[in-house]
Amino acid sequence: FTADGRSFLLAFNKLEREDAFQRLWNLTPPSQGSTLFTSLSPGGEEEFDGPLPSQVMLRTLLRKWQQGELSNFAYLMHLNTLAGRSYNDLSQYPVFPWVLADYDSEELDLTNPATFRDLSKPMGAIGARRASDFRGRYEHWFDPDTPRFHYATHYSSAAGVIFYLIRLDPFTRFHLLLHGGKFD
């Protein structure tokens, strides 16, 4: 990501990659550091010549979010960026947690804890029936060529991203490429 918020995907063959990386790295004066790392410095005003240890960065992010200095979206985008996710890679597209548990009420009561799902559990463990279904799949899997698993798909895949964004270009074109030129 750049200082103005734009990001670029650069692809090099293996032989050119190291040289290209070194040239790009040398374009940024060491004293300026990264906007992300500077904004996450513990004091808020300090600059760093290199990345902070990840645990310090995560604690600082959490503190800034809890104090209202970061919006929910900004907080989650920083976490996605630190996890290596980017809009430039459909297989590593940013993800956001599924936070609601109440899909039946006409109006959500945001003061009721039952409105929100338990974020300490993965989606497959929400509710006794779901947890039992996923545990059963794992326990009863007997394919010598495929290891046992709880989840058959990853929560974020290129096909999933294309499906949810199909009405926006270039995702419409990506869908057509993925499905042999057809929408159905």
Side-chain angles (χ1 to χ4, degrees):
F1 292 93
T2 61
D4 65 4
R6 293 180 300 159
S7 60
F8 301 90
L9 175 64
L10 305 174
F12 299 98
N13 68 39
K14 197 171 187 178
L15 296 174
E16 295 174 326
R17 184 178 54 214
E18 290 303 316
D19 181 53
F21 176 79
Q22 193 60 48
R23 288 173 185 240
L24 288 170
W25 184 262
N26 290 336
L27 291 174
T28 304
S31 63
Q32 288 188 348
S34 162
T35 302
L36 172 64
F37 299 134
T38 302
S39 70
L40 296 181
S41 64
E45 300 297 325
E46 305 161 40
E47 291 187 358
F48 292 84
D49 289 337
L52 297 171
S54 61
Q55 292 303 314
V56 173
M57 291 173 66
L58 290 171
R59 281 194 303 271
T60 304
L61 267 173
L62 179 61
R63 180 185 52 78
K64 287 183 176 257
W65 174 67
Q66 289 173 328
Q67 294 175 347
E69 297 173 31
L70 289 174
S71 69
N72 292 343
F73 180 79
Y75 176 65
L76 292 170
M77 281 307 299
H78 279 304
L79 293 179
N80 274 289
T81 301
L82 290 172
R85 297 189 163 280
S86 165
Y87 290 120
N88 291 325
D89 183 349
L90 293 179
S91 67
Q92 293 294 319
Y93 214 72
V95 294
F96 296 87
W98 190 346
V99 297
L100 295 179
D102 179 0
Y103 291 94
D104 298 321
S105 300
E106 287 281 327
E107 194 171 308
L108 290 177
D109 178 2
L110 300 179
T111 62
N112 181 359
T115 300
F116 305 97
R117 85 169 180 91
D118 181 353
L119 293 174
S120 71
K121 297 178 180 176
M123 288 300 296
I126 301 296
R129 182 166 179 240
R130 282 179 67 101
S132 175
D133 288 349
F134 282 104
R135 195 169 28 259
R137 177 189 309 175
Y138 182 85
E139 291 169 356
H140 297 101
W141 186 263
F142 295 109
D143 182 340
D145 298 323
T146 305
R148 297 196 293 175
F149 57 88
H150 287 95
Y151 305 106
T153 61
H154 193 270
Y155 57 83
S156 175
S157 67
V161 172
I162 292 168
F163 174 80
Y164 283 105
L165 298 174
I166 191 171
R167 293 177 183 233
L168 300 172
D169 206 23
F171 303 100
T172 306
R173 285 182 282 136
F174 294 157
H175 175 87
L176 291 170
L177 286 170
L178 185 63
H179 294 282
K182 298 179 183 175
F183 281 107
D184 54 359

